[in-house]
Amino acid sequence: MAIEFEFDTFFNALDRTKEQVLESAFIGVHDATDVLLATSRDEAPLKKGTLRTTSGKNVEVDGNTVTGEVYFSAVEEGRSGRVNYAVIVHEMGEYKNPTTPGTRPKFLERPLKRDAKKYNGMIASAIRKGLR
């Protein structure tokens, strides 16, 4: 006497669930990076507007990993060659005379750290919604 179990349906369901989690996580990371990008743009200096107009985001899935990136890339020619002054401005001490009230250094790092729980919640919520 033998007992047989056919697991193909079970494994197919697991594969679909994994796919749903990754798709939902992609949506959640996409939404979270949208919010981070908007918030950090508002805190970035606005003297010429270059910092804000050269910012962007990218979301990618690589295997089982979903990665979201927000960037500022204000590259200009300087005495020493090409320089991404977004990094320099981001890492400066407090601005003595900001060109626009509410702008500050660490314009990307501050909102990322301050709102990390919110971003994690957005991603978790998207995954829960995708698994319904």
Side-chain angles (χ1 to χ4, degrees), residues 40-104:
S40 60
R41 275 183 180 155
D42 288 346
E43 292 189 18
L46 186 59
K47 187 173 186 177
K48 296 180 191 176
T50 307
L51 275 175
R52 294 181 184 196
T53 60
T54 60
S55 61
K57 68 170 216 163
N58 187 36
V59 179
E60 294 181 349
V61 177
D62 183 15
N64 293 331
T65 304
V66 180
T67 304
E69 169 189 44
V70 172
Y71 59 85
F72 287 78
S73 182
V75 178
E76 289 190 354
E77 289 291 329
R79 285 178 256 135
S80 304
R82 293 174 56 88
V83 63
N84 183 352
Y85 78 86
V87 174
I88 295 168
V89 173
H90 185 270
E91 297 301 320
M92 292 174 106
E94 287 298 319
Y95 306 145
K96 291 181 181 172
N97 297 307
T99 56
T100 306
T103 62
R104 60 187 60 132

Side-chain angles (χ1 to χ4, degrees), residues 28 32-33 35-36 39 111-112 115-124:
T33 54
V35 172
L36 175 59
T39 303
L112 176 61
D115 299 331
K117 285 183 182 179
K118 176 171 87 173
Y119 303 135
N120 286 332
M122 292 173 73
I123 296 165

Side-chain angles (χ1 to χ4, degrees), residues 4-64:
E4 291 183 20
F5 292 97
E6 195 275 291
F7 285 102
D8 287 343
T9 303
F10 175 73
F11 288 133
N12 287 338
L14 288 179
D15 287 341
R16 278 195 303 276
T17 301
K18 177 182 171 184
E19 188 176 296
Q20 288 172 313
V21 168
L22 286 171
E23 288 174 6
S24 301
F26 180 85
I27 292 167
V29 171
H30 192 282
D31 293 346
T33 54
D34 277 344
V35 172
L36 175 59
L37 178 59
T39 303
S40 60
R41 275 183 180 155
D42 288 346
E43 292 189 18
L46 186 59
K47 187 173 186 177
K48 296 180 191 176
T50 307
L51 275 175
R52 294 181 184 196
T53 60
T54 60
S55 61
K57 68 170 216 163
N58 187 36
V59 179
E60 294 181 349
V61 177
D62 183 15
N64 293 331

